[in-house]
Amino acid sequence: RALDIARWDLQCELNNTHHRTDLNGVDRLIVRRGQPFTVNLQLHSGVYQPGASSLVCTVETGPHPSDQYGTRASFDLSANIDTSCWSAAVTGPPGNMVALSICSPPDAPIGRYTLTLGHSGRFEFILLFNPWCPGDAVYMDNEESLKEYVLCQDGIIFRGNYKLPLPTPWNFGQFETGILDACLRILDMNPKYLRNPGKDCSGRRNPIYVCRVLSAMVNCNDDQGVLLGKWTDDYEGGVSPMSWKGSVEILQNWDRNACQPVRYGQCWVFAAVACSVSRALGIPCRVVTNYLSAHDTNANLVIERYINEDGQPIRSRDMIWNYHCWVESWMTRPDLKSGFDGWQASDPTPQEKSEGVYCCGPIPVKAIKEGELMIKYDAPFVFAEVNADVVTFMQKKDGNTEKVTAATLVGQKISTKNVGNDKREDITHLYKYPEGSAEEREAFKKANHQNKLLQQQENQGLHLTIKVTSEMRKGCDFDVYAVVTNNTPSEKKCRLVFGSTSVSYNGVLGENCGFKDLLNVELQPGGERRVPLRLNYSKYGGALTEDNLIRLAALLIDYTTRDITLAVRNIVLENPEIKVRILGEPKENRKLAAELTLQNPLPEPLESCCFSIEGANLTGGRVLTERLDSVVGPGEHVKAKIYFTPTHFGLRKLVVDFNSNKLCHVKGYRNVIIGK
């Protein structure tokens, strides 16, 4: 006899806590696939009798649920839960109060569901990926890694340059109010869903499919995606990518404003938002930074660079970015031959089209290391980012070109945040074998790619490098050095051109910061010449972009052999430290104050000073701001106090940002342990 249900209790707090979704709130049911959840049923009449009572349950997701697409399933009560398919079983003793346990298969499509209980009841719930379930494609067998890559709401993104990787704090905030709804809306706004919602919802069982959709939807180039990218200094109609401290405000703005793109993003912002969405949906994810990242536009795995006779780059489509960020997501790859499960790289920054759409990946990191370029998706592009050869030519005034010896590598210090702390983890070894190893040569051969070591062996005996000091702080004057070494047995006479320009992280050049042209540099056999170039704040201060980067280029021309050698190095100027002090005992739901202090490092006053803070479960999903009216002279301190109330206990990261007329987007953070 069918159970006659009067009412039900979804036990949201118990179920959400058990499924590790309680940080989303406990006012609605949010569960993970492949794991049972329990609903209490109060019967109108009669009692549950094992073997005699029945209850047909029907689950549906998407606008056109069907058995064909696996977006609809009907099932009756069984003696025990079967975790391989939709199933339901009564777990309590017979009576008029029934504890009904329900379980989805570990490959069920994720998203919003309705569950109908016979003819008596109907309720909604959200189903997410389950990296704790061994049957799920995103299963990860390491609790500390799961805490980091799924549950952690804050983190570190590495910027700066490969000589000085700078940690930038970020509030991923995947459990903040409204974020999960925004993430599900991203899936519903993707063009594949709009063309065929039934097929798209069915595809959401597969994390490979979902990651590819997210790669396309985090940028808005082909669709109503989240972010509009911009790589110039003109951010009219939006805000500088440097101003973002987290993903929460970006996702809330997109959701609140009818899916209009948020202005503006650059690579680390695209990657961070993709990481937030992935973690919200239950896919283990991390942000990765690749220093000296190649952008190969013609898919020949070679970056062709051109310079003029002063050593300055001539704009070409192929670029080497100072750094580039993407994400890695953890999953199995049953669509490929064995050996390619684990971390998969995907890139939401719009660079080149893939299958007609601005997206990239997911591609197994292992495939990049092994040079397996036939594997899906977009292996040649990602391989070039970390492994491309670089060939440099000088464009002469008469129109001729001449090859230049330049020891340029790509794919250096590939970095991500360490599990459980804020240290940098170097994962270069996951993407490529050690330079010069037999495995590296085999990977290049497999990729039909010229061995970069052959390029490096063309040194003609004159060695050119750029050296810097440790005192490269914004606001200071300092020297950089071109060091020329004569490794030949004969005397050399050379011309040395040594220049500097401001540069953005993606390689776009700005204004001149200092220049020197020495026509007669003489070097004895075995001799060395150290040539300084003074960089004065009065010259570089107004030229710097928000990235605080300066490109140094030294060009050496041997008058005897006419050989040309180029050395290039990007330097990053350090911003002052923001000191953060927490006033009050950090307790859940207790008001605290963050005392923020910064010293003006510039030889000129700061005006329009502003501090702001943001933190998951600390600032209620908002950015809290304190503007100061006072002018801060050189060497003086600026101080502010901002109040906030934490809502959950545990380790939290308070992200801090300082802005003024002369010092923009100085970032810092403070880890705060909140007690119950």
Side-chain angles (χ1 to χ4, degrees):
R1 193 176 65 176
L3 294 179
D4 185 15
I5 302 171
R7 56 183 180 274
W8 55 86
D9 177 9
L10 301 184
Q11 298 195 93
C12 295
E13 183 170 1
L14 178 66
N15 284 317
N16 290 9
T17 301
H18 189 218
H19 284 248
R20 300 175 179 86
T21 63
D22 51 302
L23 284 174
N24 286 298
V26 294
D27 57 334
R28 57 180 173 167
L29 185 59
I30 305 172
V31 294
R32 300 188 185 275
R33 62 187 195 174
Q35 180 178 341
F37 60 94
T38 300
V39 177
N40 286 338
L41 307 179
Q42 179 70 50
L43 303 182
H44 262 305
S45 60
V47 295
Y48 166 72
Q49 296 178 341
S53 299
S54 68
L55 179 65
V56 176
C57 303
T58 303
V59 290
E60 298 176 319
T61 184
H64 307 299
S66 72
D67 296 330
Q68 174 192 355
Y69 282 131
T71 52
R72 180 184 184 277
S74 291
F75 49 99
D76 206 337
L77 295 177
S78 54
N80 297 291
I81 285 292
D82 183 350
T83 58
S84 67
C85 60
W86 284 103
S87 61
V90 173
T91 56
N96 61 357
M97 178 68 78
V98 176
L100 181 67
S101 185
I102 303 167
C103 190
S104 66
D107 62 347
I110 65 160
R112 300 181 188 277
Y113 276 81
T114 59
L115 175 60
T116 304
L117 302 172
H119 301 290
S120 307
R122 181 184 178 92
F123 63 83
E124 297 180 351
F125 65 97
I126 294 173
L127 187 68
L128 303 178
F129 289 108
N130 191 354
W132 286 270
C133 173
D136 199 308
V138 300
Y139 174 64
M140 178 178 271
D141 186 20
N142 185 297
E143 190 62 35
E144 290 304 309
S145 295
L146 286 164
K147 288 179 183 177
E148 180 72 46
Y149 299 134
V150 181
L151 299 180
C152 190
Q153 294 194 78
D154 48 54
I156 296 292
I157 299 172
F158 289 93
R159 299 177 62 233
N161 69 8
Y162 85 103
K163 292 287 187 180
L164 184 63
L166 292 180
T168 299
W170 192 267
N171 175 29
F172 293 109
Q174 67 269 28
F175 300 121
E176 294 281 23
T177 302
I179 297 304
L180 179 57
D181 295 293
C183 296
L184 294 173
R185 191 176 187 185
I186 288 172
L187 297 181
D188 288 347
M189 293 303 296
N190 96 81
K192 294 178 180 179
Y193 176 87
L194 299 177
R195 285 194 298 268
N196 189 335
K199 186 177 180 181
D200 177 80
C201 287
S202 177
R204 296 179 192 180
R205 69 179 66 250
N206 187 348
I208 304 168
Y209 179 84
V210 172
C211 279
R212 193 150 173 82
V213 167
L214 294 182
S215 174
M217 283 298 295
V218 169
N219 71 74
C220 67
N221 288 46
D222 311 287
D223 42 50
Q224 288 185 272
V226 178
L227 277 161
L228 177 63
K230 195 165 191 181
W231 284 266
T232 64
D233 290 335
D234 175 20
Y235 300 118
E236 185 178 352
V239 299
S240 161
M242 285 287 293
S243 69
W244 304 115
K245 293 175 287 300
S247 307
V248 177
E249 189 177 5
I250 294 170
L251 290 167
Q252 287 178 341
N253 286 349
W254 177 82
D255 191 37
R256 188 184 304 122
N257 296 314
C259 306
Q260 293 300 304
V262 177
R263 303 167 187 258
Y264 295 99
Q266 290 179 7
C267 73
W268 73 93
V269 185
F270 285 109
V273 171
C275 183
S276 295
V277 177
S278 299
R279 291 182 182 182
L281 297 178
I283 302 173
C285 190
R286 64 187 184 183
V287 177
V288 169
T289 302
N290 177 39
Y291 290 98
L292 298 179
S293 186
H295 180 173
D296 179 23
T297 58
N298 58 4
N300 68 348
L301 307 183
V302 177
I303 302 298
E304 294 100 354
R305 298 197 306 175
Y306 294 84
I307 60 172
N308 61 24
E309 291 182 279
D310 289 333
Q312 298 302 315
I314 298 171
R315 181 80 180 190
S316 64
R317 289 199 67 206
D318 282 357
M319 301 281 286
I320 298 178
W321 293 29
N322 190 55
Y323 64 85
H324 182 54
C325 299
W326 57 74
V327 292
E328 291 177 356
S329 304
W330 182 271
M331 66 191 71
T332 59
R333 288 302 298 263
D335 58 322
L336 305 176
K337 61 184 180 180
S338 64
F340 294 103
D341 295 343
W343 289 117
Q344 315 287 317
S346 59
D347 190 350
T349 299
Q351 295 183 88
E352 301 294 328
K353 287 190 175 183
S354 171
E355 298 179 339
V357 177
Y358 279 103
C359 66
C360 180
I363 175 71
V365 173
K366 181 71 171 177
I368 301 305
K369 184 172 183 176
E370 300 297 338
E372 294 276 4
L373 302 194
M374 301 301 293
I375 284 180
K376 291 183 177 181
Y377 292 90
D378 310 307
F381 185 80
V382 180
F383 182 88
E385 287 183 304
V386 300
N387 268 322
D389 274 342
V390 181
V391 181
T392 305
F393 299 93
M394 176 187 285
Q395 182 80 53
K396 295 189 171 183
K397 293 177 181 176
D398 61 7
N400 293 321
T401 60
E402 187 170 342
K403 192 173 181 181
V404 176
T405 300
T408 303
L409 298 176
V410 301
Q412 299 295 298
K413 282 189 180 176
I414 304 176
S415 304
T416 191
K417 177 187 175 299
N418 209 0
V419 172
N421 59 58
D422 293 337
K423 295 179 181 178
R424 185 182 73 89
E425 180 183 356
D426 194 307
I427 57 172
T428 310
H429 64 284
L430 299 181
Y431 280 85
K432 53 203 296 189
Y433 287 101
E435 303 286 349
S437 66
E439 294 89 348
E440 182 210 28
R441 288 194 295 272
E442 179 61 28
F444 276 106
K445 180 181 177 182
K446 192 183 298 180
N448 193 24
H449 179 47
Q450 186 177 7
N451 188 347
K452 67 179 70 173
L453 296 179
L454 295 177
Q455 302 289 329
Q456 298 170 15
Q457 292 168 1
E458 294 180 2
N459 192 298
Q460 301 298 315
L462 282 176
H463 187 58
L464 177 64
T465 59
I466 296 174
K467 302 290 185 182
V468 298
T469 68
S470 59
E471 299 298 314
M472 296 186 298
R473 295 190 299 272
K474 189 173 182 180
C476 294
D477 300 339
F478 56 91
D479 288 322
V480 293
Y481 302 90
V483 181
V484 187
T485 307
N486 181 9
N487 295 321
T488 72
S490 58
E491 182 181 346
K492 289 288 185 179
K493 290 187 178 180
C494 308
R495 177 186 177 190
L496 177 67
V497 180
F498 193 12
S500 62
T501 55
S502 63
V503 63
S504 62
Y505 82 95
N506 63 332
V508 176
L509 297 181
E511 299 177 27
N512 172 41
C513 298
F515 183 80
K516 180 176 286 188
D517 189 353
L518 302 180
L519 297 176
N520 292 294
V521 176
E522 297 184 358
L523 293 161
Q524 297 300 316
E528 180 180 284
R529 179 80 179 271
R530 191 179 179 93
V531 179
L533 178 65
R534 188 72 170 173
L535 297 184
N536 296 303
Y537 175 75
S538 59
K539 182 110 184 233
Y540 74 72
L544 283 180
T545 69
E546 293 173 330
D547 299 303
N548 276 5
L549 288 168
I550 296 177
R551 178 186 184 271
L552 307 175
L555 188 69
L556 187 69
I557 303 172
D558 186 337
Y559 285 133
T560 304
T561 64
R562 306 305 302 172
D563 289 330
I564 306 168
T565 305
L566 176 70
V568 177
R569 179 169 180 174
N570 288 345
I571 60 173
V572 58
L573 304 188
E574 293 187 63
N575 274 322
E577 177 190 5
I578 302 177
K579 294 183 178 179
V580 184
R581 193 160 68 102
I582 303 300
L583 306 181
E585 185 180 1
K587 289 284 188 182
E588 193 176 27
N589 297 315
R590 177 180 293 178
K591 192 173 186 180
L592 300 173
E595 185 182 76
L596 314 170
T597 309
L598 176 141
Q599 185 177 19
N600 179 10
L602 306 182
E604 53 187 325
L606 301 179
E607 300 176 3
S608 304
C609 299
C610 172
F611 280 106
S612 59
I613 64 172
E614 181 180 355
N617 305 127
L618 295 178
T619 60
R622 297 179 295 122
V623 178
L624 305 181
T625 300
E626 181 69 23
R627 302 185 183 277
L628 307 174
D629 297 328
S630 57
V631 176
V632 183
E636 293 182 356
H637 289 82
V638 56
K639 184 179 291 188
K641 193 181 293 183
I642 303 180
Y643 292 91
F644 65 99
T645 304
T647 55
H648 290 79
F649 72 94
L651 179 64
R652 306 290 172 209
K653 185 176 269 86
L654 189 69
V655 182
V656 183
D657 190 31
F658 173 81
N659 277 285
S660 71
N661 60 327
K662 295 290 184 180
L663 206 57
C664 294
H665 302 301
V666 180
K667 295 191 184 295
Y669 69 94
R670 170 70 182 269
N671 287 328
V672 187
I673 300 176
I674 307 298
K676 286 191 175 180

